[in-house]
Amino acid sequence: MVRGSGLTLPRRGFVAALVVAVALVVAPSAQAAFTSVYGGAAHCTVEPSHGNIRACSGFTLTWDHATKIDVNVFLPPETGGTEGPYPLIGDFHGWGGSKLGLTTVEPAEGLTFQQKDPRIQHWAEEGYAVFSMSDRGWGLSCGKFDPQIAEPVCAQGYNHLMDDRYEVRDAQYLISVLADEGVAQPMKIGVTGASYGGGISVALAALRNREMLPNGELVPWTSPEGEEMEIAAAAPQWAWTDIAYALAPNGRNLDYVTESSYRGPSGKAPVGVMKLSYTEALYQSGLALSNYNESNPEADIPGWRLRLLAGEPYSDPGVNAMIKQLTAYHSAFYINHAEAPSPMLLQSGWNDDLFPVDEVLRLYQRTRAQYPSDPISLFLADYGHSRSQNKAADVGRFNERLEAWFAHYLKGEGASPSSSVEALTTTCPNSAASEGPYTAGNWSSLAPGEVRLQSNQPQTIEHGTVAEEEVPTLSGKFFDPIIGPKVGKNVCSSVPAEAQPRVANYSLAPAPAGGFTLMGSPTIVAKVQSPTPNSEIAARLVDVAPEGTETLIARGLYRPTGGSQEMVFQLHPQGYHFAAGHVAKLELLPSDMPYGRFSNLQANVTVSSLELRLPVMEQPGSLGGLVQTPAPKVVPAGYQLAAEYQEKPSGGGGGGTPPTTPPPATIKIGAAGLTGKLTANSKALMVPLRCTGEGACSGQVSVTVKASSGKGRTTLAKGKYSIASGANLTARVPLTKAGAKIVQGRLEIKGKRSKTLSGVLQLNDAGRPTTLTLNRPVHLTGGK
C-alpha cells in the first residue's frame, strides 16, 4: 500500500478495480445519502469540524480508461432523506499545485498533494457539490513524486500544458460521471480557478457543451450514460486566452478591435519576445514537481522552452509548429467559437506580468462582437500574479461577485447579472485601500478622456553588446516579478530615476493639481525604422515622483518588422492615479532583462513621430484642457474596430468624432449539409456533415423513427454540432433513452447484428433559412 495526502492507494490491481467500479455507475435522479462516488473509488466521510459537509477522496480513471486522476468531491451535509443531484462547482488549482480541499496536505517541505481553499466549505453548506482534481502530471495524478509514476496508470499521465484534448477533457469526463451517479446536475455546472486553474476554467467555458477529441474534433459533451452536459457559468481568475502571446508577446494585441490573434489578420505577424524570468520560473517549478514528456511533440514542454531560450531568429519550421500547437490546443481564444461561450465573469490583475488584463480583453471583445447579448463581465483590480498586492478587501469584493454569478446561473437565485466592467485601482503604499469600484457598461466607457504626449523628434533605441544586454539594470532587477530583491515583486517598489543607457525617453509635464487617473491601455503610435525583423522594443511607463524615484506602472514587449513601419502598440492596461507633481514617463528600451529576453540580433531602432495616448477617467476639457477627447483609433489593415468604439454619446469613454474605419466586424456563417449515410450504435448516432460557405457552421440535428406503437414518431437522437468553415465532421449525437432501447432491441435480435431503421433527419442549421428535412435510413452496428 502507498500512503500520501491521507489517502490509501493500492499498488496492485488498481486499474482492474477501477474499471469494475466505473462499470457499476448508475444514474439516479435522487438517492439515499452518498457514501462514495466514482463507483466506490472515492469514499465519503462526514467532516464535523467543517460544518458536517462530506468529503470524498480517491483515485479514478479518466476518459481513456487508462490514466488515473486524484480527485476530491465535497457534498452538502446530509439531510436524512433522498438527496441530489446538486448544482456543481469545479474548483481548479494553479501551476505547481494539486487538488483543492478543506486542508493542506504537505507530506514534505515544498511538496503538496492537496491545497486548502476556504471557499469549499461555504459552497457545500450553500447546497453545491464541489469537484476538484490534481491535473495530469501534478500531485498524485502522476506528478514527479507520485509513487505510481512508472506504472501503466501514469503512462499517459504526463503534463500536457492544459491541453483541451487531455486535461480539459479529464475535467469534463470526471464531472459527467458525477452527473451519471446523481451527484451533479448536468446543466448546472460552474467552474473557477486561478492561473492554471483560470486557464482550464476559460477553456471549459469556451467549449461550453462540447468536448475535444485527441484528433482535435469537437463533439457534443455527453456523460458515459448519454446525458447532455453543459457549463452554465464560469469565473476564471488570472487566466490566459492565448498562451503563445502570454509567454512570448509580439505586441500586436489591441484592446479596441474584435479579433487579436497571435499571427494577426495576415497570419504573418512575427514570433514575439520571450518573458524570460517568468517562463523559466514556471519551467523550473514544473521540472521539480511535475512530469514532463520529451517524446511527444504535442506536449514537448522541455523542447518548447529550449527553442524560446535559443532566441532569434524565430523563423524555422520548429518554432512555427510550436506556435501552431500552443494556439490550437492550449488557448481558449482559438477554440471554435461558432457557439457562444458560457456566461463568464473574468477577473484579471493590473500588475500581473504573466497573464495581464489584455489576455481577457482579447476574448471579451470578440465575444461582445459576435454574441452581443451573451453575458460577459470583467472584474479588474490589483489582484493577480506577481507584482500584484492582492489586498484582502479586493479579494473579498471579487468573491462576492463570484457568489452572485454562480447563485444566479447555477441555482436561479437573484437578478440576472448584467454584462459590465468593474475596476478598482492600484494604490500605494501597500496599506492604502484600492480606489473604486468604478463601473461601466463596457470597457471603453471606463475612460471618457485621454492625456496625450506628442514628439516628432527622432530617438534611437541603441543596441549593446551581448554581454551588456545579458546584465539587467538596477531598475530591471527591481521591476522584475521573479528575479532580484523580494521588494521588486511589489508594484509599489521604486528605484532612483536615473537615466537608462541606450533608451528613448518621453516625459509628460508634471500632473496638475488633482492629478489624473489612468484607466486602460497606454497606447503608442509611432514610425519605426528597424533594419532587421529580429530586434525588439521593450516599453515601460513609469511614475517619476518629485523626490526623484520612479515606480513601474505598465510595460509591454514589441517585435517590429524589418524596415520602416507604422507602429501601434499597447502596454498592458492599468488603473492608477498620477498624483499632482508626478511625471508619467515612457521608456523604450532595447530589452527589459530579465523580464523579457534580449534579442540575439538586436540592431539600432529609430522611433519618430511618436504619440503616447493615456486613457483617463477625467472628462475631456478638465485639468485646464490637459484631458482631451480620445483620438480616433488607429486600426491596422485587416483588423476591425470593436463595436463599442464605433459611436459614443457625449462625454462617453473612448469617444469623440467617430474615426474613419472599416465597418463593424461581420460574423460570417456557413451552412452544413449531410455527406454520407447515418449509422448508430448502442450509444450514439453518427451524422457525417460538411460545412460550406465563408463561415463556421452550428446548429442542432435530430432523427426520428416510427414509434413502436405504430402511432407517431420517437426521437432516436438529438444534439448540437459546430464545424469550422470548409471542414468535415462526423457528429456523434447521443441517443435518447427511448432511442437507446430501440437500437438495443434491434441489435439483440438473434443472428442479425446489423439492422436498418427508417429515419427522418432534421438539420436546424444557423446558416439555413429553414430546417432541412431528409428521409434517410439509419444503419445499426454492434459497437459502442
Side-chain angles (χ1 to χ4, degrees):
M1 309 294 281
V2 177
R3 297 184 183 275
S5 88
L7 304 175
T8 303
L9 173 63
R11 293 181 65 90
R12 297 180 181 177
F14 179 73
V15 174
L18 282 176
V19 170
V20 172
V22 171
L24 295 175
V25 171
V26 294
S29 59
Q31 64 177 45
F34 294 101
T35 58
S36 66
V37 293
Y38 296 111
H43 294 281
C44 305
T45 59
V46 176
E47 299 287 335
S49 61
H50 294 93
N52 289 320
I53 71 169
R54 287 162 291 167
C56 316
S57 297
F59 303 87
T60 188
L61 297 181
T62 186
W63 54 269
D64 61 8
H65 307 299
T67 304
K68 72 157 190 172
I69 301 292
D70 186 15
V71 296
N72 276 344
V73 177
F74 301 92
L75 303 174
E78 292 184 31
T79 60
T82 58
E83 61 173 330
Y86 303 105
L88 179 140
I89 295 174
D91 191 17
F92 299 100
H93 68 79
W95 181 266
S98 51
K99 66 179 184 178
L100 302 172
L102 300 173
T103 59
T104 295
V105 177
E106 193 172 23
E109 184 177 354
L111 178 62
T112 303
F113 287 160
Q114 178 175 287
Q115 296 174 286
K116 180 179 179 179
D117 185 344
R119 300 175 299 179
I120 288 175
Q121 178 178 339
H122 167 71
W123 287 333
E125 290 174 337
E126 288 294 310
Y128 297 102
V130 183
F131 164 82
S132 189
M133 68 178 188
S134 293
D135 297 329
R136 287 189 190 221
W138 295 104
L140 291 175
S141 291
C142 306
K144 186 168 186 176
F145 295 96
D146 186 336
Q148 290 191 301
I149 191 171
E151 297 185 17
V153 288
C154 286
Q156 298 298 315
Y158 51 85
N159 190 330
H160 288 69
L161 194 62
M162 198 51 69
D163 193 312
D164 300 327
R165 304 164 298 174
Y166 294 94
E167 288 95 339
V168 179
R169 194 179 179 202
D170 290 339
Q172 291 177 306
Y173 175 81
L174 294 171
I175 289 171
S176 75
V177 171
L178 295 176
D180 283 344
E181 292 186 323
V183 174
Q185 297 177 25
M187 308 295 281
K188 295 296 181 182
I189 299 164
V191 290
T192 189
S195 188
Y196 204 54
I200 191 172
S201 299
V202 73
L204 287 165
L207 287 164
R208 191 167 187 163
N209 56 12
R210 302 165 295 168
E211 61 181 331
M212 188 178 290
L213 303 182
N215 65 1
E217 179 183 359
L218 289 174
V219 298
W221 176 23
T222 59
S223 73
E225 296 297 318
E227 286 278 0
E228 293 184 2
M229 305 292 298
E230 182 170 309
I231 301 299
Q237 295 185 252
W238 319 355
W240 76 89
T241 60
D242 183 339
I243 193 69
Y245 196 97
L247 299 181
N250 59 18
R252 300 312 193 271
N253 190 82
L254 298 173
D255 69 1
Y256 53 82
V257 300
T258 61
E259 186 90 12
S260 273
S261 61
Y262 190 79
R263 291 294 199 175
S266 68
K268 298 178 180 180
V271 175
V273 180
M274 178 188 187
K275 291 182 182 176
L276 178 61
S277 60
Y278 241 130
T279 302
E280 274 296 279
L282 292 170
Y283 177 81
Q284 295 299 335
S285 63
L287 188 64
L289 298 172
S290 189
N291 176 4
Y292 293 154
N293 181 295
E294 298 183 47
S295 62
N296 182 356
E298 294 194 348
D300 186 9
I301 296 173
W304 296 339
R305 172 249 186 181
L306 286 175
R307 181 61 196 90
L308 284 175
L309 273 179
E312 296 79 6
Y314 290 127
S315 55
D316 55 280
V319 78
N320 291 325
M322 175 185 69
I323 297 300
K324 185 176 181 179
Q325 175 70 212
L326 292 173
T327 52
Y329 301 120
H330 307 262
S331 303
F333 184 75
Y334 300 94
I335 291 173
N336 179 291
H337 49 98
E339 185 166 329
S342 305
M344 286 188 289
L345 172 62
L346 298 162
Q347 189 268 309
S348 193
W350 297 125
N351 302 296
D352 189 329
D353 286 328
L354 178 59
F355 302 142
V357 172
D358 34 313
E359 281 299 312
V360 297
L361 283 173
R362 176 187 298 113
L363 184 61
Y364 168 86
Q365 289 293 18
R366 188 183 66 191
T367 301
R368 284 185 57 85
Q370 188 172 4
Y371 302 104
S373 61
D374 196 53
I376 184 167
S377 291
L378 302 176
F379 186 98
L380 310 174
D382 181 16
Y383 178 26
H385 294 100
S386 304
R387 300 169 289 113
S388 305
Q389 299 182 77
N390 301 340
K391 297 176 180 179
D394 299 352
V395 175
R397 182 177 290 275
F398 170 73
N399 282 331
E400 290 175 3
R401 301 296 180 269
L402 178 149
E403 292 291 326
W405 197 261
F406 281 165
H408 177 76
Y409 289 109
L410 303 189
K411 298 166 72 175
E413 297 176 357
S416 176
S418 60
S419 294
S420 63
V421 180
E422 182 174 356
L424 299 163
T425 64
T426 298
T427 54
C428 293
N430 304 350
S431 58
S434 300
E435 295 176 352
Y438 302 104
T439 59
N442 56 39
W443 168 244
S444 67
S445 296
L446 278 176
E450 189 171 86
V451 172
R452 292 198 287 272
L453 175 151
Q454 292 181 318
S455 174
N456 293 322
Q457 182 67 34
Q459 293 196 49
T460 299
I461 306 167
E462 299 179 2
H463 74 89
T465 65
V466 172
E468 289 173 326
E469 297 290 0
E470 285 182 326
V471 179
T473 62
L474 175 64
S475 61
K477 291 179 182 178
F478 266 79
F479 293 157
D480 187 78
I482 303 296
I483 298 173
K486 184 176 180 181
V487 69
K489 298 178 184 179
N490 189 289
V491 65
C492 294
S493 302
S494 60
V495 297
E498 299 175 351
Q500 300 287 327
R502 309 187 305 278
V503 173
N505 294 292
Y506 306 85
S507 297
L508 277 78
F516 58 84
T517 301
L518 172 68
M519 187 62 75
S521 305
T523 302
I524 302 168
V525 180
K527 294 180 180 179
V528 172
Q529 174 67 39
S530 176
T532 169
N534 298 303
S535 292
E536 65 182 80
I537 298 174
R540 298 197 303 216
L541 181 70
V542 298
D543 177 348
V544 181
E547 57 268 27
T549 60
E550 67 179 29
T551 303
L552 178 63
I553 306 305
R555 71 191 335 159
L557 299 168
Y558 186 87
R559 178 81 70 191
T561 56
S564 298
Q565 68 177 102
E566 300 286 336
M567 178 181 73
V568 54
F569 164 40
Q570 291 189 313
L571 283 63
H572 302 317
Q574 175 65 277
Y576 177 84
H577 184 73
F578 284 89
H582 286 236
V583 172
K585 176 185 175 185
L586 174 67
E587 301 172 341
L588 300 182
L589 305 93
S591 76
D592 192 4
M593 279 285 290
Y595 173 66
R597 187 194 183 282
F598 67 90
S599 171
N600 295 342
L601 302 170
Q602 184 75 20
N604 287 353
V605 177
T606 301
V607 181
S608 60
S609 302
L610 180 139
E611 183 175 67
L612 173 64
R613 302 176 178 181
L614 302 180
V616 298
M617 295 188 63
E618 288 71 25
Q619 292 291 331
S622 60
L623 300 181
L626 174 66
V627 180
Q628 303 177 59
T629 297
K633 302 300 181 188
V634 176
V635 182
Y639 288 87
Q640 295 283 353
L641 191 68
E644 65 186 64
Y645 287 92
Q646 290 289 320
E647 293 183 12
K648 307 301 294 184
S650 177
T657 304
T660 302
T661 62
T666 300
I667 305 302
K668 297 178 180 179
I669 300 174
L674 190 67
T675 61
K677 68 180 183 179
L678 304 178
T679 59
N681 57 33
S682 60
K683 295 290 185 182
L685 172 75
M686 310 303 169
V687 183
L689 300 171
R690 178 170 177 78
C691 179
T692 59
E694 297 184 37
C697 300
S698 62
Q700 182 170 285
V701 60
S702 64
V703 171
T704 60
V705 295
K706 288 183 179 180
S708 57
S709 64
K711 297 180 180 179
R713 302 189 66 81
T714 297
T715 300
L716 185 73
K718 183 178 181 180
K720 297 178 180 178
Y721 61 86
S722 60
I723 317 171
S725 177
N728 292 313
L729 168 72
T730 299
R732 187 177 185 275
V733 184
L735 300 181
T736 64
K737 290 183 179 180
K741 288 181 180 179
I742 292 172
V743 172
Q744 193 63 40
R746 298 294 291 271
L747 290 174
E748 290 176 355
I749 297 175
K750 186 177 181 180
K752 297 183 178 181
R753 296 295 295 169
S754 180
K755 291 291 181 181
T756 300
L757 294 171
S758 296
V760 176
L761 178 141
Q762 289 193 314
L763 201 65
N764 186 8
D765 189 85
R768 294 182 179 274
T770 59
T771 299
L772 177 66
T773 302
L774 301 170
N775 293 312
R776 290 291 186 273
V778 179
H779 302 274
L780 307 185
T781 64
K784 292 185 179 181

